[in-house]
Amino acid sequence: MRDFLAERLDVEREKVVPEAKLADLGVDSLMFAEMLFEFEDRANTELDIRSADALPETVGELITLIDAHLQAGGSTPSASPPATH
């Protein structure tokens, strides 16, 4: 995760520490959403974050959120049947 964030945010790996605030690393709400989508693609999973209150503020909180999801078995994307008209 540390390497993913350092690469994605174009910051030094040493700055990506648990107590680092995502905003201080340049993450705004749009970038956060983009990062989650990219992470989901790379990990072949879907994260369920429904509430703005659940959004992590620090690298550590983000890692905890993702770890909790993966430990709980995380959902894998399911193939949807094609839409019929």
Side-chain angles (χ1 to χ4, degrees):
M1 187 59 165
R2 187 176 193 183
D3 290 333
F4 169 78
L5 288 172
E7 176 186 321
R8 181 67 171 84
L9 300 174
D10 195 28
V11 297
E12 295 174 20
R13 189 175 187 276
E14 295 75 30
K15 291 184 178 183
V16 183
V17 294
E19 59 275 1
K21 295 206 177 276
L22 293 171
D24 292 344
L25 295 175
V27 178
D28 60 16
S29 58
L30 178 60
M31 182 178 279
F32 180 78
E34 290 172 351
M35 285 186 343
L36 285 183
F37 292 140
E38 185 176 343
F39 178 80
E40 287 176 335
D41 286 345
R42 287 186 182 193
N44 194 32
T45 189
E46 291 179 2
L47 299 173
D48 185 17
I49 300 175
R50 299 176 189 261
S51 166
D53 296 335
L55 296 180
E57 292 184 20
T58 66
V59 170
E61 290 173 4
L62 176 60
I63 291 170
T64 298
L65 176 74
I66 291 170
D67 282 348
H69 171 78
L70 295 175
Q71 298 261 335
S75 61
T76 55
S78 58
S80 299
T84 57
H85 294 275

